[in-house]
Amino acid sequence: MAIFTDDISINTLIGVGASFTGNLRISGFIRVDGDIDGNIETSGRIIVGEKARIRGNISATAAVVGGIVEGDIIAPDGVKVLSSAVIIGDVMTRHLEVGEGSLIQGQYVALSDENEYNEAVIHWQDVKAIRAKSLFSDQGTL
């Protein structure tokens, strides 16, 4: 799977030692080597470096994960999980490559057919919404 075969110029870089709290919406390719506490949404691709720690959801066209992600990843074009990666959340993609020794704690869906993938994403989003709603409604009752 060649996720990064065309333009590889990085538009945004969060370096080692940098930390950010809040949601990021980026246009283009991003590389994260620092700590982010918030969601990342990009119209391009993302690399999560081996030293990166992300506590939030990632939405990108494609992703390479080498660090820790505590959140869901939606990347239709592909997700490559390196051997150093830990993902605590769900992964939705059309192409998935998982390195030996990596950890994914959650569900993953990798469907190459575009229609099947789109239907699975919609179903997954519906299930997530229902679970979130039931979690909030149960908090008031003991």
Side-chain angles (χ1 to χ4, degrees):
M1 173 181 57
I3 295 176
F4 296 98
T5 56
D6 52 356
D7 183 18
I8 59 168
S9 58
I10 296 173
N11 301 85
T12 305
L13 174 65
I14 309 293
V16 174
S19 63
F20 181 82
T21 300
N23 297 327
L24 291 173
R25 182 171 285 154
I26 309 254
S27 178
F29 195 160
I30 179 173
R31 179 176 176 114
V32 178
D33 289 307
D35 296 339
I36 296 180
D37 190 2
N39 299 324
I40 301 172
E41 181 181 332
T42 180
S43 60
R45 297 166 178 181
I46 185 169
I47 293 175
V48 179
E50 290 182 11
K51 299 199 182 295
R53 306 294 176 260
I54 298 174
R55 286 165 298 286
N57 300 322
I58 296 173
S59 177
T61 56
V64 173
V65 181
I68 297 173
V69 176
E70 294 179 41
D72 301 327
I73 300 173
I74 298 177
D77 289 352
V79 175
K80 183 173 185 175
V81 182
L82 303 177
S83 61
S84 58
V86 175
I87 300 172
I88 302 170
D90 298 341
V91 176
M92 302 293 290
T93 186
R94 284 194 217 111
H95 307 281
L96 181 64
E97 184 178 324
V98 180
E100 185 176 339
S102 61
L103 172 69
I104 300 175
Q105 182 180 339
Q107 299 178 9
Y108 61 89
V109 172
L111 295 168
S112 58
D113 180 84
E114 187 170 352
N115 290 331
E116 289 179 13
Y117 171 78
N118 291 335
E119 289 175 16
V121 168
I122 291 169
H123 176 72
W124 174 79
Q125 289 171 332
D126 290 345
V127 168
K128 292 289 255 188
I130 291 168
R131 285 184 187 155
K133 176 79 171 143
S134 65
L135 287 175
F136 289 122
S137 63
D138 290 344
Q139 289 179 354
T141 59
L142 291 177

